[in-house]
Amino acid sequence: MSASKWTVFVCLLKYFLKCSAFEEKTAKPGDNIPFQCEGPTDADIDSVMLRWSRPGLKSEEYVFYFRDKRVHEDFQHESFHRRVELMDPKMKNGKFSVIVKNVTINDSGTYECYVGIKGNKPQLLNTTKLTVTDSGQTAGHIGDGGDKDGGDKDGGDKDGGDKDGGDKDGGDKDGGDKDGHVGLVVGLSVVGVLLLAAGITGGFVMYKKHKGRSTY
């Protein structure tokens, strides 16, 4: 079986067995995101009813709604007005994909593609989960909880390190050199007293010898 015939067979099988594809997408605010959806390749645009829905919207509000050969904006949720369009306006070969322009964080969610042919009940053909992330906001959050509050500034060197608990209060500045100076003064005082005592003792001995000589 050729590749083209196999593709047609898979599409038809997926449609009639009510199977649907699933995919996930990640985007940044401002991106234009394609949502893929494929159905019967022989579908006539005149008989196609296409709707892209998002769970959580009101029952009569859709991301995109196409019927009777035109887009019905009155069935479209206001947040998607003028932001959604067909990738192929003629929907050739069963291409029911759309593009959602300028996505925002609020666009994150699940999107479902339903297609009905010739008045038949619409079938779910594709489900896409979109996640829109703002990297700038995430980076700011990391910065708030990092070195600024819990790192070196408050809990590190500033309060519990060298500044308050180190050299300033308990180190060389107050408890080191100061005590050393006191010890030096005391030591010199002791030496002076000893020298003075030795001088007095020597003088007394010389005095006794001199007195003894004077007696004879």
Side-chain angles (χ1 to χ4, degrees):
M1 183 181 292
S2 65
S4 59
K5 290 182 179 180
W6 176 253
T7 302
V8 173
F9 174 76
V10 171
C11 291
L12 289 174
L13 182 64
K14 182 172 65 175
Y15 179 77
F16 288 110
L17 293 181
K18 302 180 181 179
C19 298
S20 63
F22 177 83
E23 60 181 330
E24 294 183 329
K25 291 180 177 290
T26 302
K28 297 180 297 183
D31 287 348
N32 298 332
I33 304 302
F35 289 83
Q36 304 293 335
C37 184
E38 297 183 1
T41 58
D42 60 346
D44 185 357
I45 190 173
D46 294 340
S47 62
V48 170
M49 195 284 288
L50 167 65
R51 71 173 187 242
W52 277 89
S53 62
R54 178 178 165 185
L57 298 180
K58 295 180 180 179
S59 59
E60 295 300 323
E61 293 183 336
Y62 302 97
V63 175
F64 184 82
Y65 192 91
F66 180 95
R67 187 172 185 174
D68 300 328
K69 299 185 292 185
R70 69 183 184 93
V71 177
H72 293 263
E73 290 189 354
D74 49 334
F75 290 144
Q76 193 176 35
H77 189 274
E78 60 181 2
S79 66
F80 293 102
H81 283 176
R82 294 178 293 278
R83 290 205 299 131
V84 187
E85 62 183 32
L86 288 165
M87 293 180 63
D88 180 2
K90 295 184 179 180
M91 292 184 280
K92 293 181 178 179
N93 298 319
K95 302 294 185 181
F96 305 115
S97 306
V98 296
I99 296 178
V100 179
K101 299 180 178 180
N102 193 26
V103 297
T104 67
I105 293 179
N106 293 330
D107 290 328
S108 295
T110 302
Y111 293 76
E112 298 173 337
C113 173
Y114 286 86
V115 176
I117 306 295
K118 297 180 179 179
N120 294 324
K121 182 180 178 180
Q123 305 297 327
L124 177 62
L125 299 185
N126 182 281
T127 300
T128 302
K129 182 180 179 181
L130 174 66
T131 302
V132 182
T133 59
D134 187 347
S135 57
Q137 183 177 354
T138 303
H141 177 70
I142 293 174
D144 293 340
D147 293 338
K148 184 177 180 181
D149 295 332
D152 294 341
K153 184 176 180 182
D154 294 337
D157 294 338
K158 182 177 179 182
D159 295 334
D162 294 339
K163 185 175 181 181
D164 294 337
D167 295 340
K168 183 177 179 180
D169 297 331
D172 294 338
K173 184 175 180 181
D174 295 334
D177 295 341
K178 186 176 179 180
D179 293 340
H181 294 160
V182 173
L184 179 61
V185 172
V186 172
L188 291 175
S189 299
V190 172
V191 172
V193 170
L194 292 176
L195 290 175
L196 179 61
I200 293 174
T201 302
F204 179 76
V205 172
M206 292 179 65
Y207 171 75
K208 291 288 289 183
K209 289 181 178 182
H210 180 72
K211 186 176 180 181
R213 290 173 182 177
S214 298
T215 303
Y216 291 107

